[in-house]
Amino acid sequence: MIDNQVILNKVKEYNDYIINTRHYLHENPELSLEEFKTSEFLQEEVRKRGLEVTMVTETGFYAVLDTGRPGKIIGMRTDIDALPIQEQDNNLAGKRLCKSKIDGVMHACGHDGHMAAMLGAVNILSDLKDSLSGKIVFIFEAAEEIGAGVKEMVAALKPLGISAIYGTHLASFMETGTICVDAGPRMAGSALIDMNIIGRSGHGSRPDLSINPVFGAAQVLNALSVAWVNQLDVNKTVTLGITQIIGGTANNVIPDKVYISGSLRFFDVEAGQAALDVLKRVSEQTAAVHNCRVEFGPNTRMGTRPVINDDALAAKQIETVASLYPGKLVHDVKWYASESFNRYRDVAPSLFAFVGIANEKYGSGAEHHNDYFDLDDDALQYSLGSTVLFALNNL
C-alpha cells in the first residue's frame, strides 16, 4: 500500500495544475451535448499521459490507464457539461476569482471542479503506475445535466469487467474540505409530473357555459398538498415540487386546459412509486369533481433512481479517508437532487463522494444551479486525494 504521505505530496505537487485547469474549464463552459472543445481538451490531457481514448458519444469518452500487470479494473467518473445560466460577477462575498467567458453559459454545479480533480488523478496515478496493477477506466460523461449521455456510457462499460466505480460531487452545502462517503442512499431518485387539466374554453363573461380548468387545476394542487400529508408514509420522505402552472392567454377567455409540471424526489423507490400513484389518482378524482379531466403526458413517470453507495466500498473509503484527512469526514449527508451516477450500479458496485466547497469568507456556498454559485479552490485537493485513495484501495 502506498503511504499516505506519498499521496499528500503528490496532491500538493498537482495542486496548481488542478486549480488552473478548473479556472480554464470554468471560463469556457459548454452546454449538454455541445461539449466539443471541453472534450477535446480533456482528451488532449489524458493522451499526454499515454492513455488510450475510446469515444462513446460525440463528446463523452473513456480513457484507460493500463499498468501492464494483471489485476482488478476500476472506473472513475466525472461529468463535463455546464448549464444555461448567466453568471454573476460576484459570489456571495464579492468578486469571484474566475468567470465564464461564454454569455448565458455557466459551470453552476461544480463540473469544472470534477473534471479538474479527475485530470489530477490521471496524472498522479500515471506517476504511480509502476507501483500499481490492473487497469483504471477514467469515465468522462457528457450531458449529465439532461441525462443524455449516461445510457450509452453504461452500455460501453459493461463489457470491460469493471469491479468498482467511483465518482465525486462537490457540495455547496458542506464546508470546504469536508468529505462524506457514507453507505446507502445519498442522492434522491425522481419522478416527473407532466399533466394537463382539460376543461372547455369560452367567454370570460359566462363561466357557467364553460368548464374552467383554472379552478380545476387550483383544486388539484390543493388536494395534492392535503394528500401528501395524509396518504404518504411519514417514515419515507417524498417531496412534491410543483414548478409550472400555465394556462390562458387573455383576461376574457377561459382556456381549454391548464398545464402543471414538476417532480417528486425520494430515497426509497417503492415510496416514490406509491407517491406517483397517489398523485395520479388524486389529480383525476379532483379534476372530475370540477367537470374536468386529466391528460398525463409521457413524462409523468418514474425517472432517475436514487444514488446508493455500496456498503463495502463505503466502509473501506471511510477508514482510509479518516487516516488521510483526519477530522474531515462528515456523516449522514443526503441531497435531494438527482444524479445520473445512479446508473453506474448497473455496471459495478459504486461509491459517490460529497466534498464540501462552502467558504463564507471567500463567498462560496450558494446553491447549485444558482447564478452566484462558486467553489473554493482549496476544496479541490481533498477531492483529488479522496479520488486517488479510492483507486489505491480497490485496485
Side-chain angles (χ1 to χ4, degrees):
M1 184 70 180
I2 293 173
D3 184 79
N4 279 348
Q5 195 56 52
V6 172
I7 300 172
L8 293 172
N9 289 343
K10 279 292 178 184
V11 169
K12 184 177 181 180
E13 178 183 342
Y14 283 98
N15 195 49
D16 287 346
Y17 168 79
I18 59 176
I19 290 173
N20 292 335
T21 298
R22 204 281 290 187
H23 288 185
Y24 167 77
L25 291 166
H26 189 86
E27 291 173 349
N28 297 278
E30 294 178 297
L31 296 174
S32 303
L33 301 177
E34 299 176 11
E35 317 97 326
F36 298 106
K37 292 182 180 179
T38 300
S39 183
E40 289 175 7
F41 170 80
L42 296 168
Q43 291 174 57
E44 289 173 4
E45 290 300 297
V46 300
R47 285 191 171 112
K48 287 178 183 177
R49 300 310 306 253
L51 275 63
E52 181 180 347
V53 170
T54 299
M55 297 304 299
V56 175
T57 62
E58 278 195 284
T59 53
F61 67 95
Y62 66 81
V64 178
L65 172 59
D66 188 347
T67 67
R69 286 171 291 280
K72 294 180 180 179
I73 303 172
I74 63 168
M76 318 279 278
R77 175 266 198 177
T78 182
D79 34 23
I80 70 173
D81 54 334
L83 288 157
I85 295 174
Q86 182 64 46
E87 186 169 22
Q88 296 287 339
D89 291 335
N90 292 346
N91 58 26
L92 296 179
K95 195 80 170 178
R96 61 175 73 240
L97 285 177
C98 61
K99 183 176 181 288
S100 172
K101 296 178 179 179
I102 310 301
D103 192 50
V105 184
M106 174 189 178
H107 273 297
C109 201
H111 296 191
D112 50 341
H114 302 168
M115 290 184 279
M118 187 65 76
L119 290 178
V122 167
N123 279 284
I124 290 177
L125 293 167
S126 295
D127 288 351
L128 300 176
K129 177 179 174 180
D130 291 343
S131 301
L132 306 176
S133 59
K135 298 178 182 179
I136 305 171
V137 181
F138 294 96
I139 303 159
F140 296 84
E141 180 191 327
E144 184 277 331
E145 292 290 358
I146 61 172
V150 69
K151 181 179 178 181
E152 293 88 347
M153 185 62 74
V154 165
L157 297 175
K158 281 184 176 180
L160 302 186
I162 295 173
S163 61
I165 296 181
Y166 181 81
T168 300
H169 210 302
L170 298 173
S172 68
F173 45 85
M174 292 166 50
E175 292 299 314
T176 289
T178 54
I179 302 169
C180 180
V181 286
D182 285 352
R186 302 271 58 89
M187 293 189 72
S190 67
L192 304 180
I193 303 167
D194 171 26
M195 61 181 176
N196 280 291
I197 311 302
I198 309 297
R200 186 174 67 235
S201 62
H203 199 288
S205 66
R206 288 296 302 272
D208 57 309
L209 300 179
S210 303
I211 298 174
N212 195 334
V214 174
F215 287 106
Q219 293 306 312
V220 164
L221 295 182
N222 286 336
L224 286 174
S225 67
V226 174
W228 238 246
V229 174
N230 292 282
Q231 297 187 35
L232 302 187
D233 186 343
V234 297
N235 296 305
K236 297 178 179 179
T237 300
V238 180
T239 63
L240 173 64
I242 300 297
T243 57
Q244 288 182 294
I245 177 167
I246 303 170
T249 58
N251 61 10
N252 63 348
V253 179
I254 293 171
D256 59 356
K257 62 183 178 180
V258 171
Y259 179 69
I260 298 173
S261 74
S263 67
L264 315 182
R265 303 297 171 125
F266 48 84
F267 292 99
D268 182 287
V269 173
E270 290 184 2
Q273 182 63 63
L276 184 59
D277 293 342
V278 167
L279 180 137
K280 289 181 176 180
R281 184 179 68 252
V282 169
S283 297
E284 288 177 329
Q285 293 176 353
T286 305
V289 170
H290 297 276
N291 296 320
C292 295
R293 60 186 176 86
V294 181
E295 287 185 357
F296 293 106
N299 286 328
T300 300
R301 56 179 173 80
M302 295 292 281
T304 57
R305 299 174 301 183
V307 173
I308 301 176
N309 281 347
D310 179 77
D311 290 351
L313 294 177
K316 187 183 297 184
Q317 192 75 359
I318 287 170
E319 180 183 354
T320 51
V321 167
S323 174
L324 184 68
Y325 294 123
K328 291 296 184 180
L329 273 177
V330 294
H331 299 285
D332 301 321
V333 179
K334 289 185 176 181
W335 190 7
Y336 276 86
S338 298
E339 236 279 358
S340 64
F341 188 82
N342 75 87
R343 296 287 301 277
Y344 291 98
R345 279 191 289 137
D346 295 339
V347 178
S350 60
L351 184 70
F352 202 51
F354 294 150
V355 177
I357 58 171
N359 180 334
E360 184 178 359
K361 183 177 180 180
Y362 168 64
S364 57
E367 282 288 323
H368 295 259
H369 294 208
N370 182 291
D371 53 355
Y372 285 94
F373 177 88
D374 198 1
L375 63 87
D376 180 5
D377 284 332
D378 192 48
L380 297 177
Q381 63 178 306
Y382 299 99
S383 178
L384 174 54
S386 183
T387 301
V388 170
L389 195 59
F390 180 87
L392 300 180
N393 285 341
N394 292 284
L395 281 174

